[in-house]
Amino acid sequence: MNGRTRPTRAETRRRILDAAFTVFGDQGIAATKLTEVAAAAGLTKGAVYSSFASKDELVLALMEEHAAHRLEASLAGFAEADDGGAGLANVAAVLMHEMRTDAVWHRLLAEFFAMAHHDDRRRDALRRRRREVRDTIARALDRLAEGLDLELPLPAQEFAVVLLALSNGLAVEADIDDESVPDGLLARVLTLIAGDAVAKVSGLAAQPPPEQTSPSSVRRR
């Protein structure tokens, strides 16, 4: 009896995404054929098309997954901090680490944006996916603000745009000239944007709780 089992749909998708990241990163999106992605994943071209309808869909799925990963890591960094200021520093540190270690993501985004500039179909698809990413980030920011009783310095949707723009823009500048983007730059910018809000929360958290008046301490008349 053959002990080999076929990979699950989720496993196949994971293999395709990992292979696509490597091949796109090495060759660029435009120069890559899906047959090359399939070969790198050890799959057939049909297996790739069973998970992704087109190369564009594969690229957009990669970008969406990466944005979700960065969001999860950033919010975890905030939650693990002792206070709001340290939380902002942790968020910035995560984003800076992602920028420097995964610069290929930003090159892929820039290439796909350039490809979509004169292609209405691609541009619409990119716009929809980026809106989904921003919506996810905005919902996470709203949950975080509600959990900390924190008033965001900007509406969540606008704050999400700022976070994406800062992260992507600084990544491009760092890729061009790494010395132009010091490690602490993003932390300082986030502190300028949101420092007052998190400082207020930290200050309230540091205050002792109000004294409770026990029934035994009430003077009987």
Side-chain angles (χ1 to χ4, degrees):
M1 181 176 179
N2 192 341
R4 294 180 60 188
T5 58
R6 297 180 61 183
T8 65
R9 186 173 183 82
E11 290 170 343
T12 297
R13 180 182 173 88
R14 179 75 268 150
R15 284 167 61 177
I16 295 168
L17 287 168
D18 291 343
F21 173 72
T22 299
V23 180
F24 289 151
D26 289 342
Q27 301 179 181
I29 299 169
T32 297
K33 298 178 180 179
L34 283 183
T35 51
E36 295 172 301
V37 173
L43 299 167
T44 64
K45 186 177 179 180
V48 175
Y49 274 114
S50 70
S51 296
F52 301 96
S54 65
K55 183 167 68 172
D56 284 359
E57 184 178 314
L58 175 54
V59 173
L60 291 168
L62 270 174
M63 293 179 182
E64 184 176 10
E65 182 182 72
H66 182 243
H69 166 73
R70 287 166 59 192
L71 170 65
E72 181 180 351
S74 299
L75 294 183
F78 196 99
E80 292 168 0
D82 295 330
D83 59 68
L88 282 180
N90 283 358
V91 168
V94 169
L95 292 177
M96 291 293 287
H97 173 75
E98 296 285 342
M99 281 167 43
R100 298 192 188 284
T101 58
D102 290 333
V104 64
W105 289 109
H106 302 282
R107 290 197 292 272
L108 292 178
L109 175 60
E111 182 184 357
F112 194 79
F113 171 74
M115 292 167 61
H117 186 63
H118 297 293
D119 185 321
D120 290 341
R121 179 181 54 80
R122 276 196 177 119
R123 189 164 61 251
D124 287 343
L126 180 58
R127 183 185 298 116
R128 287 195 303 272
R129 286 300 180 97
R130 296 302 284 179
R131 284 177 177 171
E132 291 170 3
V133 169
R134 290 197 304 271
D135 287 345
T136 300
I137 295 174
R139 287 194 298 270
L141 289 170
D142 278 332
R143 288 195 302 270
L144 183 65
E146 183 178 354
L148 295 174
D149 193 21
L150 167 69
E151 183 177 351
L152 295 172
L154 295 168
Q157 281 283 347
E158 294 180 8
F159 203 179
V161 172
V162 170
L163 286 174
L164 286 170
L166 282 172
S167 178
N168 292 325
L170 289 174
V172 171
E173 293 299 325
D175 202 24
I176 295 170
D177 180 3
D178 187 61
E179 294 180 359
S180 69
V181 184
D183 287 339
L185 178 59
L186 184 54
R188 293 199 298 273
V189 173
L190 289 180
T191 300
L192 288 172
I193 295 172
D196 289 344
V198 297
K200 179 181 178 182
V201 173
S202 298
L204 291 174
Q207 293 178 5
E211 292 185 3
Q212 298 285 336
T213 302
S214 64
S216 60
S217 66
V218 177
R219 181 177 298 176
R220 297 178 182 274
R221 291 185 180 274

